[in-house]
């Protein structure tokens, strides 16, 4: 990495006076991030590669659920209303699990913010990850920062056209693969890939691939930092959730100022005068993907990616000064250093973080317990409303119900349907009468709807409204599910 000589203002530009400009917004300045190597860059590369491999190839992971069941480990089966995640199958009636996952994600994001600010934005956000990949492609095809800036101001030549064409072709390839991978989560991946290749796939698949291709290409290739600065609400929300103990990328003003060239700082130190470690090389600015100068203090545009730390540490090593001029630090320590006090060690466990951890563990434990103890069968009951009951000619009473029996396993099952609450009540399904239990067969991973009549004899007329319960039992396993309702009398 070579030191850049570009200079940026040490303070933010003031807003233009109304008489000088009628523009409501500052014009966008093209940002050409420079490559950098170091600890945080390596962490980002590792997360990028791991995240990409997981996203692109997870649909092809197989999971045996038995005959006539989908063999894809992770599948969102909209046609049948199922969500499969390895050994777990979520039914539409269990949408609360999806709600629980969203709650867990929110609390985890809050905890990450309380510990290290916008660490999600800098390392894990899809916008950041795909933008990093697009920047890597841009460097491969068009060169480093200086080369790209130089070519941007020159007329087109066959070489620059070829480089730009290669860049956009690779960008579109990545965007297309991104959209293609997304639709694979909604159908059997190998089958859909074959259909897409032979143009036999459903039209919806091509439409969604086109949508995701276009959005990935535009957001990661052109919008980039504009998404973080203007489109994403998280920078504005997270400021209300942080505190003085949260770690943020921080410039050590007490060490860096007064800044100046390396030669000037050396002469000042030899003369016994104060001199800062910052040599004003601007490397922290040129490597920033959003163009922030961290030396001006915390900025909403800073995504806390740590690349400026790598750049600054590299410079400090070359000039023989200690690392850490830019690093993760707390607002509390910034204030303490300004007062000449010693810095404090970061506190991971404090009221805010403990509360988030307890909430995360509580929700996760509740979901885990619910999954471990949930039934593989279910029953739903809906009482007829018109008429609510029928008095037969022999004096007996009849109520009608629509009952749905659910089989949440991968094989057909035989159940027993019984009635509690009416000792002499009689069940009838499709002409089959029973004073005990009715045999019900439900196919694998299916719901069976039954039209059930409950009749009481003339000499056992119930009160105006009697609580009853329908019970569905698997005789082989003893597992039961029940649903309460009522039997209406005159």
């Amino acid at each position: 990495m070579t030191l850049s000589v570009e200079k940026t203002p040490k303070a933010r530009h003031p807003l233009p006076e109304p008489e000088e400009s009628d523009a409501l917004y500052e014009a966008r300045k093209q940002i050409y991030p420079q490559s950098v190597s170091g600890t945080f860059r390596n962490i980002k590369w590792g997360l990028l590669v791991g995240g990409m491999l997981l996203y692109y190839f997870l649909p092809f992971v197989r999971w045996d659920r038995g005959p006539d069941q989908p063999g894809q480990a992770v599948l969102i089966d909209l046609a049948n209303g199922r969500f499969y995640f390895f050994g777990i199958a979520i039914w539409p009636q269990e949408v609360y699990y999806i709600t629980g996952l969203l709650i867990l994600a929110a609390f985890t994001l809050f905890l990450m913010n309380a510990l290290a600010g916008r660490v999600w934005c800098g390392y894990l956000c899809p916008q950041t990850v795909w933008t990093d990949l697009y920047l890597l492609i841009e460097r491969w095809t068009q060169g480093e920062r200086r080369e790209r800036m130089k070519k941007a101001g020159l007329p087109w030549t066959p070489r620059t056209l070829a480089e730009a064409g290669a860049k956009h072709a690779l960008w579109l390839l990545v965007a297309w693969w991104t959209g293609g991978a997304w639709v694979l989560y909604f159908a059997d991946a190998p089958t859909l890939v074959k259909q897409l290749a032979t143009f036999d796939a459903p039209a919806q698949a091509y439409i969604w691939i086109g949508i995701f291709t276009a959005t990935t290409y535009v957001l990661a290739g052109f919008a980039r930092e504009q998404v973080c600065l203007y489109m994403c609400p998280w920078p504005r929300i997270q400021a209300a959730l942080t505190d003085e103990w949260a770690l943020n990328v921080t410039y050590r003003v007490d060490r860096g100022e007064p800044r100046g060239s390396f030669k000037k700082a050396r002469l000042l130190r030899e003369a016994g005068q104060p001199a800062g470690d910052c040599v004003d090389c601007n490397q922290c600015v040129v490597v920033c993907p959003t163009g922030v100068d961290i030396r001006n203090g915390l900025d909403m545009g800073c995504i806390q990616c740590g690349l400026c730390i790598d750049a600054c540490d590299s410079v400090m090593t070359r000039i023989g000064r200690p690392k850490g001029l830019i690093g993760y630090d707390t607002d509390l320590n910034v204030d303490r250093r300004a007062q000449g006090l010693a810095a404090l060690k970061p506190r991971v466990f404090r009221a805010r973080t403990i509360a988030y951890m307890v909430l995360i563990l509580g929700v996760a434990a509740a979901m885990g317990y619910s999954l471990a103890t949930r039934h593989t069968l279910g029953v739903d009951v809906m009482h007829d409303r018109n008429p609510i009951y029928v008095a037969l000619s022999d004096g007996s009473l009849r109520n009608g119900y629509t009952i749905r029996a659910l089989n949440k396993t991968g094989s057909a099952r035989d159940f027993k349907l019984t009635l509690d609450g009416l000792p002499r009540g009689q069940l009838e399904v499709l002409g089959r009468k029973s004073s005990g239990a009715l045999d019900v067969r439900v196919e694998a991973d299916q719901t069976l709807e039954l039209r059930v009549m409950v009749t009481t004899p003339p000499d056992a007329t119930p009160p105006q409204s009697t609580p009853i319960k329908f019970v569905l039992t698997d005789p082989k396993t003893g597992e039961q599910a029940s649903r309460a309702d009522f039997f209406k009398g005159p």
Side-chain angles (χ1 to χ4, degrees):
M1 182 183 70
T2 58
L3 297 182
S4 174
V5 297
E6 290 87 25
K7 301 290 184 180
T8 57
K10 297 179 181 179
R12 300 177 190 175
H13 292 291
L15 293 174
E17 296 295 334
E19 63 272 18
E20 295 178 0
S21 173
D22 294 329
L24 294 177
Y25 303 100
E26 183 182 3
R28 181 189 179 187
K29 298 177 181 178
Q30 184 67 35
I31 297 175
Y32 298 89
Q34 180 174 295
S35 63
V36 64
S37 59
T39 301
F40 295 99
R41 178 67 268 181
N42 292 337
I43 293 174
K44 285 171 65 66
W45 284 137
L47 292 173
L48 184 150
V49 172
M52 290 285 184
L53 290 175
L54 183 67
Y55 173 73
Y56 287 129
F57 296 105
L58 185 57
F60 296 96
V61 178
R62 301 288 93 186
W63 189 267
D64 185 12
R65 296 186 179 90
D68 302 324
Q69 292 295 302
Q72 190 163 308
V74 179
L75 176 65
I76 304 172
D77 189 357
L78 295 178
N80 297 308
R82 305 288 186 273
F83 170 61
Y84 298 98
F85 184 80
F86 293 90
I88 300 172
I90 304 297
W91 282 52
Q93 297 88 342
E94 298 171 328
V95 68
Y96 47 83
Y97 287 117
I98 307 300
T99 304
L101 288 175
L102 294 176
I103 294 173
L104 278 177
F107 284 141
T108 302
L109 191 60
F110 297 162
L111 177 61
M112 294 169 66
N113 176 73
L115 293 175
R118 295 176 62 185
V119 64
W120 162 263
C121 301
Y123 297 89
L124 298 170
C125 175
Q127 174 66 18
T128 298
V129 172
W130 263 264
T131 299
D132 271 354
L133 181 59
Y134 271 43
L135 282 170
L136 179 63
I137 293 172
E138 191 171 72
R139 295 187 188 107
W140 281 348
T141 54
Q142 294 183 309
E144 256 299 350
R145 179 175 188 271
R146 290 177 178 274
E147 297 178 69
R148 300 200 306 276
M149 293 177 66
K150 182 179 179 180
K151 293 172 183 176
L154 296 177
W156 288 103
T157 65
R159 177 180 177 181
T160 56
L161 281 172
E163 291 174 347
K167 177 185 75 174
H168 288 283
L170 291 173
W171 279 4
L172 285 170
L173 180 62
V174 172
W176 169 79
W177 197 3
T178 300
W182 176 252
V183 301
L184 297 182
Y185 286 92
F186 295 84
D188 183 69
T191 302
L192 184 56
V193 167
K194 182 179 179 181
Q195 292 175 340
L196 289 170
T198 57
F199 300 99
D200 291 329
Q204 296 93 325
Y206 294 105
I207 292 173
W208 282 108
I209 290 175
I211 291 173
F212 273 85
T213 299
T215 53
T216 303
Y217 178 69
V218 171
L219 295 181
F222 300 95
R224 293 184 179 175
E225 78 283 351
Q226 302 295 297
V227 175
C228 306
L229 294 174
Y230 302 111
M231 296 175 63
C232 180
W234 181 237
R236 296 155 181 84
I237 296 173
Q238 65 93 26
L241 298 173
T242 191
D243 60 19
E244 69 276 11
W245 286 100
L247 290 168
N248 291 288
V249 176
T250 306
Y251 169 65
R252 289 280 304 274
V253 177
D254 59 306
R255 262 192 59 187
E257 302 297 329
R259 72 183 75 163
S261 67
F262 174 67
K263 182 178 180 180
K264 179 181 178 181
R266 184 181 61 186
L267 294 175
L268 288 173
R269 291 191 187 97
E270 290 175 354
Q273 298 181 17
D277 285 347
C278 179
V279 295
D280 214 10
C281 64
N282 248 33
Q283 286 299 291
C284 57
V285 181
V286 299
V287 302
C288 179
T290 58
V292 169
D293 189 344
I294 196 62
R295 297 171 296 179
N296 292 336
L298 288 178
D299 191 291
M300 190 181 69
C302 177
I303 61 173
Q304 308 286 312
C305 62
L307 296 183
C308 56
I309 301 176
D310 287 337
C312 187
D313 283 350
S314 175
V315 174
M316 291 297 105
T317 300
R318 293 188 181 193
I319 65 175
R321 303 300 296 172
K323 295 181 180 180
L325 179 59
I326 300 177
Y328 278 96
D329 205 353
T330 65
D331 287 348
L332 183 64
N333 282 338
V334 172
D335 293 338
R336 289 180 64 86
R337 290 193 181 95
Q339 300 170 23
L341 301 175
L344 299 176
K345 292 183 178 180
R347 288 173 52 187
V348 174
F349 298 101
R350 53 191 193 274
R352 182 188 298 265
T353 58
I354 291 174
Y356 291 146
M357 292 176 186
V358 169
L359 289 170
I360 290 171
L361 291 175
V363 174
M367 291 180 61
Y369 176 79
S370 178
L371 282 170
T373 60
R374 70 174 182 164
H375 296 299
T376 59
L377 59 91
V379 60
D380 290 320
V381 179
M382 183 171 64
H383 196 292
D384 286 355
R385 299 298 178 184
N386 189 20
I388 199 166
Y389 73 93
V390 175
L392 302 181
S393 59
D394 60 357
S396 58
L397 294 177
R398 173 178 291 171
N399 283 201
Y401 304 85
T402 300
I403 296 180
R404 291 183 178 88
L406 290 75
N407 175 15
K408 300 179 182 179
T409 65
S411 57
R413 299 167 74 183
D414 293 314
F415 299 123
K416 297 287 186 181
L417 181 64
T418 57
L419 177 66
D420 288 346
L422 283 179
R424 299 181 63 186
Q426 189 177 64
L427 293 173
E428 180 178 353
V429 179
L430 298 176
R432 293 184 291 136
K433 297 182 179 180
S434 173
S435 57
L438 283 172
D439 293 327
V440 178
R441 183 175 181 82
V442 185
E443 297 301 321
D445 198 37
Q446 295 293 323
T447 298
L448 177 65
E449 184 173 296
L450 303 171
R451 179 67 178 153
V452 176
M453 299 295 177
V454 177
T455 307
T456 59
D459 58 345
T461 302
Q464 186 175 5
S465 182
T466 303
I468 61 174
K469 183 186 294 184
F470 291 92
V471 181
L472 193 68
T473 306
D474 185 341
K476 293 182 179 179
T477 64
E479 185 180 2
Q480 288 186 340
S482 62
R483 181 71 65 177
D485 210 279
F486 66 92
F487 185 90
K488 184 67 176 177

